[in-house]
Amino acid sequence: MQALIFIDLDHVHPVVDGVWHRAMLDSVPDPGEDVTMLCGLTAPTGFKSRDSRDPNCVLVMCVHCDYQYRRANGIPIPPNHPALSR
């Protein structure tokens, strides 16, 4: 018998240098496999347990990934969205 772990890929947010991103993943990438985020950044995949994250580290959202995600999903983009000043 197996203990299955289901991963909802819509809720997987790759973190690069303290910034969380969005990526359109079809499957869980293998360790070391490149993942391209919605903002265009590409980085190799690595996995760590949630407990290994520094509790004092505040992650920030990539505004460019957020903009692309909103645009693709018909979510309103406020006129003052930070990605619009790019």
Side-chain angles (χ1 to χ4, degrees):
M1 181 178 356
Q2 287 182 317
L4 298 176
I5 299 172
F6 293 96
I7 299 171
D8 185 346
L9 295 176
D10 290 335
H11 298 307
V12 172
H13 301 290
V15 176
V16 180
D17 295 330
V19 178
W20 69 266
H21 296 265
R22 291 189 179 270
M24 299 301 292
L25 300 173
D26 295 328
S27 62
V28 176
D30 291 324
E33 181 180 342
D34 281 346
V35 172
T36 300
M37 280 50 99
L38 296 183
C39 65
L41 177 67
T42 299
T45 303
F47 294 91
K48 288 188 175 181
S49 73
R50 184 176 175 177
D51 294 340
S52 68
R53 192 179 102 196
D54 179 356
N56 297 316
C57 174
V58 177
L59 299 177
V60 294
M61 173 184 59
C62 173
V63 296
H64 305 294
C65 282
D66 179 63
Y67 175 82
Q68 295 299 334
Y69 179 80
R70 287 171 176 268
R71 208 177 94 193
N73 290 286
I75 300 170
I77 299 169
N80 63 342
H81 192 283
L84 295 174
S85 64
R86 179 166 143 169

